[in-house]
Amino acid sequence: QVQLVESGGGLVQDGDSLRVSCTASGRAFSTYVMGWFRQAPGKEREFIATISRSGSSTYYANSVKGRFTISRDNAKSTVSLQMNSLKSEDTAIYYCAAAQTPAFTSRQRDYAYWGQGTRVTVSS
């Protein structure tokens, strides 16, 4: 019942910053917990960050904590991921996802809706 479209990916150098965004369709955006995941070549998809429905609470994977920041704008039905101090190991396709849970969650199985992904490449 919701469509997600990511944007903002690209090719950057080690140490650079990028901001990827996700726009949701429909009028029920504020009822979804939102999350960001990534999948590197040859690896399984992994959790990056999640944000509560109101945006008051966030949670990050240890690999990105202190470097990445998740935020949302319910009035615009968007969720963003600010990525700083990028490393080659951050190279992956980045996905946003929506969960129908009352609280933020890092469990992939809780996310029912997924975007197509946006590619981020960090060269050293």
Side-chain angles (χ1 to χ4, degrees):
Q1 64 180 299
V2 61
Q3 289 183 289
L4 306 173
V5 180
E6 301 94 338
S7 63
L11 173 64
V12 298
Q13 298 291 322
D14 188 12
D16 284 354
S17 297
L18 265 185
R19 185 180 181 88
V20 292
S21 298
C22 174
T23 300
S25 67
R27 302 179 61 192
F29 180 73
S30 62
T31 69
Y32 294 101
V33 166
M34 299 299 297
W36 282 97
F37 297 78
R38 70 185 182 188
Q39 186 168 28
K43 299 180 63 179
E44 294 186 355
R45 188 166 57 196
E46 64 175 339
F47 165 78
I48 300 172
T50 183
I51 188 168
S52 62
R53 294 183 296 173
S54 67
S56 62
S57 300
T58 59
Y59 178 74
Y60 301 90
N62 288 334
S63 60
V64 305
K65 185 166 58 179
R67 298 189 298 124
F68 291 10
T69 302
I70 186 173
S71 61
R72 69 189 296 163
D73 187 336
N74 287 343
K76 297 180 179 179
S77 297
T78 59
V79 60
S80 298
L81 185 70
Q82 177 67 44
M83 302 180 288
N84 298 328
S85 301
L86 284 164
K87 311 170 183 178
S88 296
E89 60 201 66
D90 294 319
T91 295
I93 299 177
Y94 284 72
Y95 300 89
C96 67
Q100 296 173 310
T101 54
F104 66 82
T105 177
S106 61
R107 299 189 296 269
Q108 292 195 43
R109 62 181 176 87
D110 288 335
Y111 290 87
Y113 306 100
W114 296 80
Q116 296 295 316
T118 185
R119 183 180 298 274
V120 173
T121 303
V122 185
S123 62
S124 59

